[in-house]
Amino acid sequence: MRRLLIPLTLAPIGPDAVLGGTVEVIGGRTMGTTWSVSFVPPPDRDVAHLRDLIQVELGRLNAQLSHWEPDSALCRFNRAPAGSRQPLPDALFTVLATACLIAEASGGAYDPTLGALVDLWGFGPPGPVEKPPAAEAIASALARTGWSELALDSATRSAVQPGGLQLDLSGIAKGYAVDVLSELLTAQGARNHLVEIGGELRGRGLKPNRNPWWVALEPLGLEADEIVVALHDLSVATSGDYRRALNLGGRLVGHTFDPRQGHPVETRLLGVTVIHASCMVADALATALMVLGSERGSAFARANHLACCIRSVGSEGSIDIFSPAAEHMLR
């Protein structure tokens, strides 16, 4: 069965909003994954020029946010001397500021400072490991985490490196990049578009046939209802360990970590999808809800009026739990 999620409010659509034209599709690789942009090009903009602008912007973001590029601003912060306050470039500070707000709101279920744990369990730049780390090693890595230690200062756009703190923005950077590309396209006159990076998406405006950008949510590997969302000035992000897992000594371990325990989460959740105006916010919140689990995640979504779908394993297949805000969108 197909289920539709349609936003409750729509931007005004004038008689000449989208009439005729064709959808161009371009794409490539970034942030260790793929990107694609579907858009209606304005008559005075060359598609190749827009592609070049996108590539330049993605290169700029990688140079600030990547934990895989040794010379990125993020990696330089990770190596900064203990006790130093470091000025941060615009994108890195913006993402960290949002990440810390979500970390605080979620009670630490999301944390952008898990780099040491990510590396320890074999999901970071040092590469895979053969078995789960020892308790002592986990405790040592946990001692080098903690978003509140960053002590962000908006006046100087800086953060404190207390010593050994390792940023990892893989749970929010792609969403931010989606938002940035959407704003770039809008500024270039391509107001009707769908941007995707690694499965995180943002749609704006309409297709030439005046339909919204319909996107099917990821099925997450089990027989389930097809869920399709109309991304009309909305973003969608999904978190789930189906995307990346390692076999450590016969134990399948996912890449979503509980920042409070130092272990990958062990849950019956298949994944969490969040629908939000900001893809950056949706990206981080999907991770936070994955860590919180079905019951606490549902309560958090309800209390914060989040539109989300939590998909878990039931006795006869998958179970979809829609938050009240998402239920209002169901058709």
Side-chain angles (χ1 to χ4, degrees):
M1 182 175 72
R2 171 177 285 191
R3 311 189 74 179
L4 305 181
L5 287 165
I6 300 174
L8 298 180
T9 58
L10 299 174
I13 301 173
D16 60 345
V18 190
L19 289 175
T22 60
V23 174
E24 297 283 349
V25 181
I26 56 177
R29 292 197 62 83
T30 188
M31 297 182 173
T33 186
T34 59
W35 68 268
S36 67
V37 171
S38 303
F39 65 103
V40 182
D44 59 341
R45 288 290 188 275
D46 180 67
V47 172
H49 176 65
L50 286 176
R51 181 189 176 91
D52 290 343
L53 290 177
I54 289 171
Q55 293 280 26
V56 168
E57 191 63 22
L58 289 173
R60 182 184 74 87
L61 296 178
N62 258 315
Q64 294 191 36
L65 305 175
S66 175
H67 65 287
W68 292 85
E69 299 291 339
D71 293 330
S72 72
L74 182 149
C75 288
R76 293 198 301 272
F77 176 86
N78 287 350
R79 297 191 299 266
S84 62
R85 177 168 285 281
Q86 298 290 315
L88 304 177
D90 182 65
L92 181 53
F93 184 86
T94 298
V95 174
L96 268 185
T98 299
C100 288
L101 287 174
I102 293 173
E104 182 176 18
S106 66
Y110 173 79
D111 193 322
T113 67
L114 296 185
L117 279 168
V118 171
D119 290 351
L120 182 66
W121 283 87
F123 290 98
V129 296
E130 295 183 354
K131 60 182 180 180
E136 295 81 4
I138 294 173
S140 176
L142 271 175
R144 291 185 288 142
T145 67
W147 63 271
S148 61
E149 299 296 321
L150 291 168
L152 294 182
D153 181 9
S154 58
T156 59
R157 299 185 75 76
S158 63
V160 169
Q161 170 55 275
L165 200 69
Q166 301 293 294
L167 300 177
D168 183 337
L169 300 177
S170 56
I172 190 172
K174 291 191 296 293
Y176 175 71
V178 167
D179 289 336
V180 169
L181 293 193
S182 177
E183 296 303 322
L184 183 154
L185 288 164
T186 299
Q188 292 295 316
R191 297 177 181 84
N192 302 288
H193 57 256
L194 177 69
V195 179
E196 179 267 339
I197 299 179
E200 323 300 9
L201 302 108
R202 180 177 181 180
R204 174 170 284 183
L206 301 167
K207 295 180 180 180
N209 60 6
R210 310 195 79 169
N211 281 334
W213 301 97
W214 290 104
V215 173
L217 303 189
E218 298 181 58
L220 308 183
L222 288 182
E223 291 292 331
D225 291 345
E226 182 183 23
I227 301 172
V228 183
V229 58
L231 290 187
H232 181 70
D233 293 345
L234 283 178
S235 301
V236 63
T238 299
S239 178
D241 285 335
Y242 65 94
R243 287 184 170 179
R244 193 176 178 203
L246 294 175
N247 190 324
L248 303 185
R251 172 187 170 194
L252 195 63
V253 174
H255 74 292
T256 303
F257 289 85
D258 187 333
R260 300 154 298 185
Q261 303 297 325
H263 292 263
V265 295
E266 295 186 6
T267 175
R268 294 179 65 82
L269 293 191
L270 293 168
V272 177
T273 296
V274 174
I275 303 167
H276 196 278
S278 163
C279 197
M280 171 174 59
V281 172
D283 200 1
L285 283 174
T287 300
L289 294 179
M290 199 57 196
V291 173
L292 288 171
S294 179
E295 185 174 335
R296 289 186 299 153
S298 295
F300 180 87
R302 186 166 52 252
N304 290 277
H305 310 290
L306 298 178
C308 71
C309 174
I310 299 174
R311 181 162 286 178
S312 62
V313 179
S315 58
E316 299 181 0
S318 66
I319 300 173
D320 294 330
I321 303 172
F322 292 94
S323 68
E327 285 182 342
H328 291 322
M329 297 172 64
L330 279 173
R331 299 293 185 271

